[in-house]
Amino acid sequence: MANQPQSSVGYSVTITPSTGTPSPRLDTKLGTPPFPTPPSSSPSGPRFPPPPLIHSNQIPSPSIKTPNLPSPVNGIRTGSPVPRMSTPPGPPVFSSPLQPAAVPFRTSPATPQPVAFSLGSSLPTSSPPHFSNGSAELQHQISDITEELAHVAESPNVLFSAHKVLKQKKLANAPSLGFGALVSPGREVSPGPQIIQRDPHRCQNCGAYANLYCNILLGSGQWQCVICRNLNGSEGEYIAPSKEELRNLPELSSPLVDYVQTGNKRPGFIPVSESRMSAPIVLVIDECLDEPHLQHLQSSLHAFVDSLPPTTRLGIVLYGRTVSVYDFSEESTASADVLPGDRSPSQESLKALIYGTGIYLSPIHASLPVAHAIFSSLRPYKLNLPEASRDRCLGTAVEVAMAIIQGPSAEMSRGVVKRPGGNSRIIVCAGGPSTHGPGSVPYSLSHPNYPHMEKIALKWMENRGREAHRRNTVVDLLCAGTCPIRVPVLQPLAKASGGVFVLHDDFGEAFGVNLQRASTRAAGSHGLLEIRCSDNIFVSQVVGPGEEAHIDSLETFKNDSALAIQMHSVEETQSFAVSLETRGDIKSDFVYFQFVIQYSNIYQADVSRVITGRLPTVDSVSAYLESVQDEVAAVLIAKRTLLRAKDSTDALDMRRMIDERIKDIANKFGSQMPKSKLYRFPKELSLLPELLFHLRRGPLLGSILGHEDERSVLRSLFLNASFDLSLRMVAPRCLMHREGGTFEELPAYDLSMQSDAAVVLDHGTDVFIWLGAELAAQEGNSAAALAACRTLAEELTEMRFPAPRILAFKEGSSQARYFVSRLIPAHKDPPYEQEARFPQLRTLTTEQRTKLKSNFIHFDDPSFCEWMRCLKILSPEPS
């Protein structure tokens, strides 16, 4: 039971870097504008506030395939029926069996736009119908009422892999090309979702929420659930003289709404100021660094504390062989209390620390000079020991940091989790592995007891991560340097707590940016994602930062079949890849999906975000393929594939699986050539094979990255990443600098390496700037081009987390291989194939073509066309 993604594509866009976001110019088939969402309604307004306005510029361009979106929300859930939850490499979070990956898409550099939603029928009636568990009585009473309200709305929190659903089960569930959605529960949209400050109307049978697609009987206010078709009452709220008035209710006019219950509705709630609501940040810093690394780290730390809001409470903990907890009450000197690192801190020592006279968490406005003094006092490691052999009690340091965040309430709570408002955050700055105290491993991998000790350390780290999550504390691990970190041991700590694990070359610029962005990530807590589908559609697999939740809501809703996912945290940078299948042929003209996320935000408000989507069903395979969203589908395929690539051996198997997937799609959905065994890949999915070719040879599955630690961290990051970052990690975006400071988007082929040009290659976690030799020789022009390229790179990645490293180099340098290895080799293809996939070649002179050939660094990798020929598949004509 696996799901499949789908595609959409486009090349050629001209961009001018500016002081703000790059603005598309000229021919923009790529880069789409942000998706608008319905305007918010005032919670204090009239019962029927004015209808939201939809402007013409909010409607997606017809030239771009636009995906349908729902967004996360929350609700009560019931036992889930045979869903499969899956998680990234490392200690599994989803315990259910993995499903085979399957689904095709095409990728383009353009961000897909959500498909338009239309409001469901509003049904006036002369006589109110009787309640019924089914819909038989409703049908004859509303058979003559089928008018739909024309209304356009959209939500970028959910991206479907296709805008239509196949009715035939066999093809719809084909493992090579299936159906699914990318759900981004915490994605912020502008303007924000409409806010409703009252209890939602929910189906008494399945627990689904009332929404814009429900049939409503105006005379009685009853509404029919789109998931189970049960008829429900609205306590008179949906009684209205006309459908236009109903459209003014947020949940009946928008696919995305937030039900918000503020804390003052809960007994015993005491309002707190925003400064008190600010969740603390504790820096846990490795003190076993050599001087070059320490100098970079100190610069990053000084810049970090200067960037924090004045009300942020900060704590500083250092670890080596011991743990040092810095005291902010000493204004003139850096003073710390020291605890042993070879064991977990005792209750007595923690009590002495917490109830003592020291101040270990202090707002920045009161302690900024002290923080700078502490960072300036750090000294390099003195002993003459290799980096990997130095004692680092990272586990003990994290335990101490959790204790000072919890404070005296740790003793009083007796297991009851307090709600400080949002997630507290521990940020670990590490330069080497945990080798001392709990959660540690031996210095050497050749230690005779290493496998056993690693197993114990893994379990300890996972338990600490779960304990941190229970206390609303996220642990981020930002590692740097050349010393092996032993990623498999530390990853469970970040994963189980809802944090991230990021590797850096050093503690310099990229590390400093990520330090700042990690601290400012908005994080909700107590997140629960529920998914409900109509017409026997079910969730077969979920990949993302959570685990299956077993919450029994049958006492409330008799037939609630929702799949519930316990989220580790609710953040904008995350997404869930949801694979969907059908249990039988679909008879209905439309199918419905509802995604609900319940979470607590940083202001202690309980939010239930409800997103509802509707897709038409079709018998025509061609119509279905035309509706496939290439980028979304490609990302879904990649996430399912990467889930199973836990090491380099698995990665090789997954590359072969991609080959088989391409062949199966061609066989099932393509056309066989006359008098030949060859199949032509379906023209509707023309960019899908190219995107998957990028995937199989890029850093996620290929051999570009040298160390298994790097590959493991990259794959784990990808499995949890948002759609935008995931797409860039699969297929790089190539932009060539042109005269006048503009940029032209080109296919990511090695044919873009023209000696008189500068090229920017955005590959998600890395951005490369390549200067051609001819341009580099022109001092003034090369400086201007390089400055423009850097500006563009910073604009493209301004909000990205983790922040990528940005590398610049010249043609022919040793570093240029990083750039060339990520481009599709096409220099060996026949000229007609080169021009078909890279039309810009037609404008080159013979002399320019000769120069271009001399740029190529020859690899053994086949070109895209050679790969397709090896699979005995004829490539579709490029879009």
Side-chain angles (χ1 to χ4, degrees):
M1 299 184 347
N3 261 9
Q4 298 105 13
Q6 303 159 11
S7 29
S8 63
V9 189
Y11 284 120
S12 179
V13 67
T14 303
I15 292 177
T16 304
S18 64
T19 55
T21 305
S23 53
R25 296 180 52 204
L26 304 180
D27 179 22
T28 62
K29 291 185 183 177
L30 253 176
T32 59
F35 312 83
T37 52
S40 352
S41 63
S42 169
S44 59
R47 178 170 175 246
F48 294 117
L53 299 177
I54 305 298
H55 300 287
S56 59
N57 63 1
Q58 292 178 327
I59 300 174
S61 166
S63 65
I64 301 176
K65 292 187 180 182
T66 58
N68 224 2
L69 338 153
S71 153
V73 186
N74 216 4
I76 303 172
R77 88 146 307 244
T78 89
S80 48
V82 202
R84 296 291 180 266
M85 303 293 300
S86 311
T87 42
V93 180
F94 299 86
S95 56
S96 313
L98 303 181
Q99 300 303 309
V103 184
F105 321 71
R106 304 171 289 185
T107 53
S108 86
T111 300
Q113 294 181 340
V115 81
F117 288 85
S118 62
L119 183 60
S121 305
S122 176
L123 308 170
T125 180
S126 55
S127 59
H130 301 289
F131 282 102
S132 132
N133 288 333
S135 58
E137 297 164 56
L138 176 67
Q139 296 305 320
H140 73 273
Q141 296 184 47
I142 64 173
S143 60
D144 60 335
I145 305 167
T146 57
E147 179 185 0
E148 290 196 356
L149 299 176
H151 179 77
V152 176
E154 54 193 24
S155 164
N157 295 80
V158 175
L159 300 172
F160 286 107
S161 61
H163 289 164
K164 296 177 182 176
V165 178
L166 273 173
K167 290 186 175 182
Q168 301 92 339
K169 172 186 174 182
K170 184 176 180 180
L171 285 177
N173 292 349
S176 56
L177 181 62
F179 176 65
L182 284 169
V183 183
S184 302
R187 178 170 180 171
E188 294 299 326
V189 292
S190 180
Q194 300 205 47
I195 305 299
I196 304 173
Q197 288 189 302
R198 58 169 166 78
D199 291 336
H201 293 293
R202 302 188 62 178
C203 176
Q204 296 306 303
N205 182 53
C206 71
Y209 291 67
N211 57 80
L212 74 170
Y213 301 113
C214 293
N215 293 328
I216 297 177
L217 300 169
L218 298 180
S220 65
Q222 292 171 290
W223 59 279
Q224 186 184 35
C225 176
V226 296
I227 302 297
C228 70
R229 294 176 173 77
N230 185 60
L231 193 60
N232 303 275
S234 65
E235 299 178 354
E237 187 149 11
Y238 293 163
I239 296 175
S242 68
K243 56 181 179 260
E244 285 74 19
E245 289 208 33
L246 281 180
R247 186 168 53 185
N248 294 333
L249 289 171
E251 72 268 33
L252 301 183
S253 63
S254 170
L256 166 62
V257 293
D258 278 0
Y259 292 94
V260 178
Q261 184 180 31
T262 53
N264 56 13
K265 292 186 178 180
R266 294 198 303 270
F269 173 80
I270 302 174
V272 282
S273 67
E274 186 174 349
S275 63
R276 293 294 300 275
M277 301 275 298
S278 175
I281 297 172
V282 177
L283 293 173
V284 177
I285 302 168
D286 184 352
E287 64 177 359
C288 300
L289 302 179
D290 293 328
E291 180 135 5
H293 287 317
L294 179 62
Q295 289 177 354
H296 282 140
L297 177 61
Q298 285 175 311
S299 298
S300 296
L301 292 173
H302 285 301
F304 169 69
V305 293
D306 284 336
S307 72
L308 292 176
T311 58
T312 302
R313 290 182 295 152
L314 179 69
I316 300 174
V317 175
L318 258 66
Y319 70 94
R321 187 171 181 80
T322 59
V323 177
S324 302
V325 186
Y326 278 86
D327 183 359
F328 289 98
S329 64
E330 297 286 344
E331 297 183 4
S332 56
T333 59
S335 172
D337 291 313
V338 179
L339 299 173
D342 59 344
R343 58 188 178 276
S344 294
S346 65
Q347 288 300 317
E348 289 72 21
S349 60
L350 289 179
K351 202 178 283 187
L353 187 72
I354 293 168
Y355 287 96
T357 58
I359 299 174
Y360 307 108
L361 285 176
S362 178
I364 284 294
H365 67 79
S367 58
L368 185 59
V370 183
H372 283 303
I374 292 171
F375 298 146
S376 298
S377 71
L378 301 182
R379 295 294 178 263
Y381 189 75
K382 297 296 186 184
L383 301 180
N384 186 24
L385 289 174
E387 284 186 297
S389 301
R390 299 170 186 176
D391 288 335
R392 292 179 172 91
C393 58
L394 188 153
T396 307
V398 169
E399 287 187 297
V400 172
M402 289 169 58
I404 63 174
I405 287 174
Q406 192 75 2
S409 63
E411 179 187 353
M412 298 164 55
S413 64
R414 300 201 179 276
V416 178
V417 178
K418 65 174 184 175
R419 300 178 58 179
N423 280 336
S424 305
R425 196 173 292 278
I426 295 173
I427 303 178
V428 180
C429 306
S434 175
T435 54
H436 187 61
S440 64
V441 290
Y443 306 130
S444 172
L445 293 172
S446 59
H447 188 284
N449 209 24
Y450 189 90
H452 175 68
M453 296 182 70
E454 182 184 50
K455 186 177 179 180
I456 294 174
L458 277 167
K459 190 64 179 175
W460 190 93
M461 288 292 182
E462 183 179 8
N463 289 338
R464 291 292 77 70
R466 292 186 181 278
E467 175 65 15
H469 180 256
R470 192 183 72 83
R471 297 186 184 186
N472 296 339
T473 300
V474 171
V475 182
D476 292 327
L477 286 150
L478 305 184
C479 306
T482 55
C483 180
I485 296 290
R486 313 282 168 82
V487 169
V489 176
L490 297 180
Q491 233 171 11
L493 176 62
K495 186 185 304 181
S497 69
V500 297
F501 192 117
V502 186
L503 287 180
H504 304 83
D505 292 336
D506 53 44
F507 290 97
E509 182 181 3
F511 178 90
V513 171
N514 278 326
L515 192 60
Q516 295 181 31
R517 293 184 185 177
S519 68
T520 56
R521 301 201 319 275
S525 57
H526 303 90
L528 183 72
L529 168 63
E530 293 182 342
I531 305 171
R532 293 178 176 87
C533 312
S534 69
D535 296 271
N536 275 329
I537 295 175
F538 66 97
V539 178
S540 60
Q541 186 184 40
V542 177
V543 179
E547 57 190 4
E548 188 168 354
H550 301 284
I551 304 170
D552 188 4
S553 65
L554 291 177
E555 293 182 5
T556 308
F557 306 110
K558 294 179 292 186
N559 296 298
D560 188 357
S561 59
L563 169 67
I565 303 161
Q566 188 70 50
M567 301 173 60
H568 294 150
S569 61
V570 184
E571 299 184 11
E572 187 172 2
T573 56
Q574 299 171 340
S575 71
F576 291 86
V578 180
S579 297
L580 300 165
E581 295 185 17
T582 176
R583 292 189 174 90
D585 292 346
I586 299 174
K587 308 297 183 185
S588 308
D589 293 331
F590 294 94
V591 289
Y592 300 89
F593 307 88
Q594 194 167 82
F595 303 83
V596 179
I597 292 185
Q598 292 176 346
Y599 66 98
S600 300
N601 65 16
I602 60 173
Y603 302 107
Q604 293 191 347
D606 292 330
V607 180
S608 291
R609 174 167 292 178
V610 181
I611 304 170
T612 310
R614 179 180 72 173
L615 298 179
T617 59
V618 292
D619 290 306
S620 166
V621 173
S622 178
Y624 169 70
L625 295 179
E626 279 289 346
S627 77
V628 167
Q629 301 301 299
D630 310 80
E631 296 93 341
V632 180
V635 170
L636 284 170
I637 286 179
K639 292 202 178 214
R640 283 196 296 270
T641 303
L642 264 292
L643 181 69
R644 304 174 63 176
K646 293 185 172 64
D647 54 38
S648 55
T649 304
D650 292 337
L652 288 173
D653 293 339
M654 293 305 102
R655 294 177 69 178
R656 288 190 284 268
M657 179 179 284
I658 289 176
D659 297 347
E660 295 304 315
R661 182 190 304 280
I662 291 292
K663 290 192 284 188
D664 192 64
I665 293 171
N667 291 340
K668 283 186 170 65
F669 299 96
S671 55
Q672 188 170 5
M673 302 304 294
K675 301 179 181 178
S676 171
K677 293 183 178 179
L678 296 179
Y679 281 81
R680 182 174 291 281
F681 203 81
K683 65 181 184 300
E684 297 89 348
L685 307 176
S686 60
L687 285 184
L688 171 62
E690 187 172 306
L691 294 174
L692 296 185
F693 186 63
H694 273 299
L695 171 64
R696 76 185 299 279
R697 68 185 303 274
L700 291 171
L701 287 178
S703 54
I704 292 176
L705 300 179
H707 197 279
E708 186 56 37
D709 274 3
E710 294 177 279
R711 290 192 286 269
S712 175
V713 170
L714 194 67
R715 290 167 190 158
S716 182
L717 173 65
F718 174 76
L719 290 173
N720 295 340
S722 65
F723 165 74
D724 298 313
L725 177 56
S726 298
L727 177 60
R728 288 283 68 84
M729 291 175 74
V730 169
R733 187 179 184 188
C734 185
L735 297 148
M736 179 177 285
H737 179 259
R738 295 299 191 189
E739 292 183 9
T742 61
F743 286 82
E744 179 185 6
E745 184 147 12
L746 301 175
Y749 281 65
D750 58 4
L751 300 172
S752 63
M753 295 189 300
Q754 299 174 25
S755 287
D756 60 348
V759 180
V760 175
L761 191 74
D762 179 4
H763 211 166
T765 54
D766 296 280
V767 178
F768 304 106
I769 300 172
W770 182 87
L771 293 178
E774 196 172 305
L775 175 64
Q778 305 170 25
E779 187 173 340
N781 290 342
S782 65
L786 180 60
C789 289
R790 284 193 179 278
T791 300
L792 177 65
E794 290 168 1
E795 289 179 345
L796 290 174
T797 62
E798 184 179 6
M799 304 305 294
R800 189 174 298 174
F801 181 79
R805 61 174 180 172
I806 300 175
L807 298 178
F809 35 73
K810 297 178 182 179
E811 174 187 344
S813 66
S814 61
Q815 284 188 313
R817 68 185 186 279
Y818 293 125
F819 174 79
V820 181
S821 63
R822 294 163 192 255
L823 298 173
I824 292 179
H827 55 277
K828 294 184 290 183
D829 291 338
Y832 72 90
E833 286 187 345
Q834 291 181 349
E835 291 184 4
R837 302 210 164 260
F838 202 90
Q840 290 79 3
L841 287 177
R842 298 167 188 158
T843 64
L844 299 184
T845 64
T846 304
E847 182 181 359
Q848 287 173 321
R849 286 180 182 248
T850 303
K851 287 182 181 178
L852 182 61
K853 289 181 180 179
S854 66
N855 292 339
F856 298 131
I857 300 175
H858 295 283
F859 291 101
D860 294 331
D861 289 358
S863 70
F864 170 71
C865 294
E866 288 173 330
W867 176 62
M868 292 292 280
R869 282 193 290 269
C870 289
L871 299 179
K872 295 183 169 52
I873 298 173
L874 297 178
S875 303
E877 292 298 322
S879 301

